[in-house]
């Protein structure tokens, strides 16, 4: 159950430039680098756990599962307070690779620009004033009207970690369409989510998941807290898959996490790696 599920046989991800001992050495070096910026705990709004260790873990996933290359142009939607950006400063080529982070929370953008962007010129951060009941309730841009200020095919690799887990179902498709527009054909989207597949629903009592979700009557959303619906959002299995495919992606990887209480997975949330289809371009 926890092994990767290949959805499209014709999709081939770029091979990981680092693996095994080489990747582990890079991660260990990053985690031990006391000169890398880390926000004060009271300013860190992106979740519990060790800030640098979690970001470094995800860097490994981007490389091993998503095939992230040093020279690529990275778009991080929902970059928070730089948790993914800081480890990436030690991996992306300063002459060729670029990073652009977007977030609706101005405090995170300000910290990241000051402590990361000011030191690494190939890293940029932008406040996206999109409305979100959890992070930016007074935002002026409705989520269903999302348009990002970049040209078509501007990026090679997009990141959405713990983003769809805080979005209503009707805003998922606009995000995926925009990311598809911005990625080069063959570009990849790395996505983390909570997927309520039928087996996890049936075995919820036995698996004792860390988060217990309750389905909305109409679906496809599941919420952990009815009083704060966007605090943690899951979706019916197949909803994200279909929405990605409609937006022009092929799903190359779908890997379940251990939030359900299962053992065997090395990551908490469920992962997707979706590749922008080249078939429409050549049709």
């Amino acid at each position: 159950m926890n092994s990767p599920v290949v959805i499209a046989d014709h999709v081939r991800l770029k091979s990981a430039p680092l693996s095994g001992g080489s990747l582990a050495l890079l991660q260990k070096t990053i985690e031990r680098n006391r000169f890398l910026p880390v926000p004060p705990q009271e300013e860190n709004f992106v979740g519990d756990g060790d800030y640098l260790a979690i970001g470094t873990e995800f860097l490994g996933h981007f490389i091993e599962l998503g095939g992230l290359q040093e020279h690529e142009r990275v778009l991080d939607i929902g970059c928070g307070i730089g948790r993914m950006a800081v480890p990436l400063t030690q991996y992306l080529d300063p002459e060729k690779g670029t990073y652009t982070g977007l977030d609706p929370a101005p405090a995170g953008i300000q910290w990241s620009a000051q402590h990361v962007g000011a030191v690494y010129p190939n890293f940029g951060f932008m406040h996206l004033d999109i409305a979100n009941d959890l992070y930016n309730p007074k935002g002026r841009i409705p989520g269903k009207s999302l348009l990002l200020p970049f040209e078509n095919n501007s990026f090679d690799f997009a990141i959405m970690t713990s983003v769809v887990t805080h979005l209503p179902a009707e805003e998922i498709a606009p995000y995926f369409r925009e990311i598809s527009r911005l990625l080069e054909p063959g570009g990849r989207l790395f996505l983390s989510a909570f997927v309520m597949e039928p087996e996890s629903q049936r075995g919820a009592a036995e698996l004792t998941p860390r988060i217990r979700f309750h389905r909305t009557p109409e679906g496809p959303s599941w919420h952990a807290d009815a009083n704060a619906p966007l605090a943690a959002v899951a979706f019916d299995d197949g909803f994200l898959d279909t929405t990605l495919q409609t937006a022009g992606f092929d799903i190359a990887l779908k890997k379940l996490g251990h939030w359900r209480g299962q053992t065997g997975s090395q990551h908490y949330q469920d992962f997707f790696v979706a590749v922008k289809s080249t078939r429409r371009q050549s049709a």
Side-chain angles (χ1 to χ4, degrees):
M1 170 176 284
N2 287 308
S3 59
V5 179
V6 177
I7 306 298
D9 290 337
H10 65 279
V11 180
R12 293 294 180 266
L13 285 169
K14 294 183 179 181
S15 59
L18 293 175
S19 60
S22 297
L23 179 55
L25 178 60
L26 172 64
Q27 292 175 296
K28 182 179 294 186
T29 302
I30 293 173
E31 286 192 52
R32 291 179 176 178
N33 188 341
R34 62 188 178 89
F35 297 104
L36 291 176
V38 174
Q41 187 60 43
E42 64 271 16
E43 296 181 23
N44 182 9
F45 59 87
V46 294
D48 299 328
D50 186 298
Y51 174 92
L52 192 55
I54 292 173
T56 303
E57 175 194 334
F58 270 90
L59 173 62
H61 297 320
F62 301 153
I63 295 171
E64 279 200 309
L65 302 181
L68 177 63
Q69 312 286 312
E70 296 179 8
H71 64 273
E72 291 189 303
R73 302 163 295 171
V74 176
L75 175 66
D76 187 358
I77 296 178
C79 65
I81 195 165
R83 187 164 64 176
M84 302 299 142
V86 170
L88 280 165
T89 63
Q90 306 302 294
Y91 177 71
L92 291 180
D93 187 318
E95 301 296 328
K96 299 177 181 179
T98 64
Y99 170 98
T100 302
L102 307 176
D103 202 87
I109 293 297
Q110 292 167 6
W111 185 93
S112 299
Q114 179 180 355
H115 295 278
V116 181
V119 181
Y120 300 92
N122 57 328
F123 277 65
F125 299 88
M126 182 182 300
H127 176 234
L128 182 65
D129 195 20
I130 191 165
N132 182 276
D133 288 346
L134 190 65
Y135 289 108
N136 194 28
K138 296 182 179 179
R140 62 180 179 83
I141 305 171
K144 291 187 289 186
S145 304
L146 177 69
L147 290 173
L148 297 176
F150 306 105
E151 299 293 330
N152 295 354
N153 307 334
S154 295
F155 298 95
D156 305 295
F157 194 88
I159 299 169
M160 290 184 78
T161 55
S162 295
V163 174
V164 302
T165 56
H166 303 296
L167 291 179
E170 62 270 18
E171 294 184 14
I172 302 297
Y175 271 87
F176 289 173
R177 286 196 299 266
E178 271 296 273
I179 294 170
S180 179
R181 177 182 71 82
L182 296 178
L183 284 175
E184 285 274 7
R188 289 90 67 217
L189 167 61
F190 185 101
L191 170 75
S192 72
F194 294 120
V195 174
M196 298 298 296
E197 87 282 12
E199 185 172 346
S200 74
Q201 295 170 32
R202 292 196 301 269
E206 299 174 7
L207 295 173
T208 60
R210 297 186 184 184
I211 304 178
R212 289 192 176 275
F213 290 99
H214 302 278
R215 193 175 190 269
T216 57
E218 67 280 5
S221 301
W222 296 65
H223 299 140
D225 185 348
N227 296 318
L230 298 187
V233 185
F235 295 100
D236 288 342
D237 189 23
F239 170 74
L240 294 173
D241 312 56
T242 300
T243 310
L244 283 165
Q245 291 163 345
T246 301
F249 288 99
D250 293 317
I251 300 172
L253 184 77
K254 182 177 178 181
K255 200 167 187 291
L256 301 182
H258 62 71
W259 67 269
R260 297 165 179 79
Q262 297 162 326
T263 59
S265 175
Q266 296 179 343
H267 50 86
Y268 181 66
Q269 292 185 6
D270 306 317
F271 288 168
F272 290 78
V273 178
V275 180
K276 181 176 176 179
S277 177
T278 58
R279 290 174 295 166
R280 292 187 180 183
Q281 304 293 323
S282 59

